[in-house]
Amino acid sequence: MRTQVGIIGAGPAGLILAQLLHLQGIDSVILERKSKDKIEGTVKAGILEQTTIDILREIGVGDRMDREGHFHNGNYFQFNGQRRHIDLKKYSGGKQVVVYPQHEVIIDLVNARYNNGKDIIFDVENVTLHDIDTENPKIRYCKNGMDEELVCDFIAGCDGYHGPSRQAIPESIRKEHLHMYKDGWLGILSDSAPAADELIYANHDQGFALLSTRTPILQRHYLQVDPHDDIANWSDDRIWTELTERTKTNDGWQVPDGPINSKGIIQMRSFICETMQYGRLFIAGDAAHTVPPTGAKGLNLAATDVKVMAKGITEYYRSGESDVLDRYSEICLRRVWKAERFSHFMTHLLHANSSYDSFQRGIQLTELDYYTSSEAGLRMIAENYVGLPIEWEKAENLKILK
Ligand code: APR
Ligand code: PHB
């Protein structure tokens, strides 16, 4: 089998890329390890920034998001029992975010693929990459017990943090930056009323809490916990007691509760693979970088990486120009480092840290006060939260680490 772009992974990165390429008349084949039901049913992130909203509309898959998503003009930061509003729209020059769950985005993208008369090859096994430093890179895989080979012009590694693509870049030219946090998030889905009209990020001595939402009757909330804690230690009562304590306000407001229908604990890490390209292999999304969820950036970074990749591949087929493709890693990483910085900043600003002395705690509260009351602080949070623009132009001395 032969295609122009072989895409490994049908997550947001792989599926958005396939649609961007299709609209430019470029053929692709998508190989996915899981089943269709599995990728369409897994609960993941929930916030799309303006940059991603624009990409989904541009590729013709924004209709259901526009109808069913909940558009927010701001969010709340809470500390010392006071809630401060961040007017994202005002401080970002009119931009917004939308609550529209990742698995709904996946459903829309899979439908778009089928409407284009194209397929996705699900349930593949043993995916391996070959000859990536030649003009005919290949992907070998196994489907229904048969060994197959896909010959491509380019390979897009969109296979998440644990996929094989990143490992195909030789170790000698791959610099990995990994930072582990000592905190995890316990996430729940509950049948309860929305806490507020917009998300609430709450700093509290007992730990951070986030009140988010999915629909008017289904809420998504999170608690800062020890990532090694056993979820069996967290009864529904204990979860609601903590959520209530950490998010209540001085005027007596309390989070609405209800039956919890799913719960789990995730570890937080920041990770960047520098470079994101080798030969004819380009990696994108979680395959190349991960962020702690505090800045809501994971899915959004995946969308902008593949926007850059699609532009580079399109230019290559149109005119033989390879300027954007040659600078793919540089263009993406410049923005990735900024999103990593923001996610790291949000994590430290909002999470409790038991090793802080009273001075450090005082500084943290003062930062919360400063960023939520100064024009400059509000603007910094707003422009990052709604998504920074892609910077296409060449920049000197870009390499962050020499
Ligand atoms: N072969 C084929 N497919 C694979 C393989 C493999 N060996 N390994 C992983 N995959 C698939 C996964 O099953 C998954 O469907 O690649 C896909 C990767 O998708 P995601 O992990 O969702 O990554 P990405 O598309 O980069 O999306 C960014 O941001 O919000 C966060 O973690 C969230 O998934 C989100 C991510
Ligand atoms: C979510 O709703 O899942 C969510 C929202 C905001 C975040 C992280 C996760 O920062």
Side-chain angles (χ1 to χ4, degrees), residues 17 25-26 33 87 96 99 135 165 185 199 243 277 280 288 293 346 362 364 372 390:
L17 176 65
I26 299 166
R33 188 168 56 93
D87 191 333
Q96 289 181 295
V99 178
E135 291 191 353
S165 297
W185 276 20
L199 271 55
L243 277 171
Q277 185 225 339
R280 291 286 183 110
M346 287 276 281
Q364 187 185 42
T372 56
I390 299 171

Side-chain angles (χ1 to χ4, degrees), residues 8-13 31-34 39 44-45 102 127 158-160 163-164 284-286 298-299 302:
I8 309 173
L31 302 170
E32 168 57 49
R33 188 168 56 93
K34 294 185 190 149
I39 65 159
K44 284 200 170 179
Q102 178 166 327
V127 169
C158 303
D159 44 0
D286 274 18
L299 186 163

Side-chain angles (χ1 to χ4, degrees), residues 28-191:
S28 65
V29 169
I30 309 176
L31 302 170
E32 168 57 49
R33 188 168 56 93
K34 294 185 190 149
S35 67
K36 177 171 181 289
D37 286 352
K38 185 83 185 165
I39 65 159
E40 291 185 342
T42 308
V43 174
K44 284 200 170 179
I47 289 274
L48 309 183
E49 61 186 32
Q50 183 73 53
T51 328
T52 308
I53 297 171
D54 294 343
I55 292 173
L56 293 179
R57 287 179 181 155
E58 170 196 326
I59 62 175
V61 294
D63 289 358
R64 204 159 65 89
M65 167 191 76
D66 281 331
R67 275 199 316 276
E68 297 175 18
H70 300 275
F71 284 81
H72 289 183
N73 295 335
N75 57 28
Y76 298 95
F77 279 28
Q78 185 173 316
F79 56 102
N80 275 344
Q82 314 160 33
R83 198 166 287 171
R84 299 256 175 105
H85 187 242
I86 315 273
D87 191 333
L88 297 172
K89 192 169 181 183
K90 173 173 168 193
Y91 290 105
S92 68
K95 296 179 181 167
Q96 289 181 295
V97 297
V98 65
V99 178
Y100 190 64
Q102 178 166 327
H103 68 273
E104 303 291 356
V105 177
I106 297 284
I107 291 170
D108 296 344
L109 288 162
V110 170
N111 284 338
R113 179 86 179 160
Y114 290 152
N115 289 338
N116 297 337
K118 298 282 189 150
D119 205 0
I120 297 166
I121 308 180
F122 288 106
D123 303 301
V124 299
E125 293 172 301
N126 302 332
V127 169
T128 51
L129 296 86
H130 304 268
D131 304 332
I132 53 177
D133 52 354
T134 72
E135 291 191 353
N136 287 302
K138 298 166 190 73
I139 306 171
R140 299 205 179 107
Y141 62 98
C142 185
K143 167 85 187 175
N144 297 330
M146 303 278 287
D147 290 331
E148 309 279 355
E149 184 178 88
L150 177 66
V151 183
C152 319
D153 293 341
F154 298 100
I155 297 178
C158 303
D159 44 0
Y161 184 69
H162 299 286
S165 297
R166 184 177 65 253
Q167 313 299 336
I169 301 176
E171 252 179 77
S172 57
I173 63 152
R174 175 161 42 98
K175 167 86 183 146
E176 299 196 343
H177 310 278
L178 174 67
H179 177 76
M180 297 302 285
Y181 297 81
K182 58 181 185 43
D183 306 305
W185 276 20
L186 185 162
I188 63 160
L189 278 172
S190 73
D191 299 323

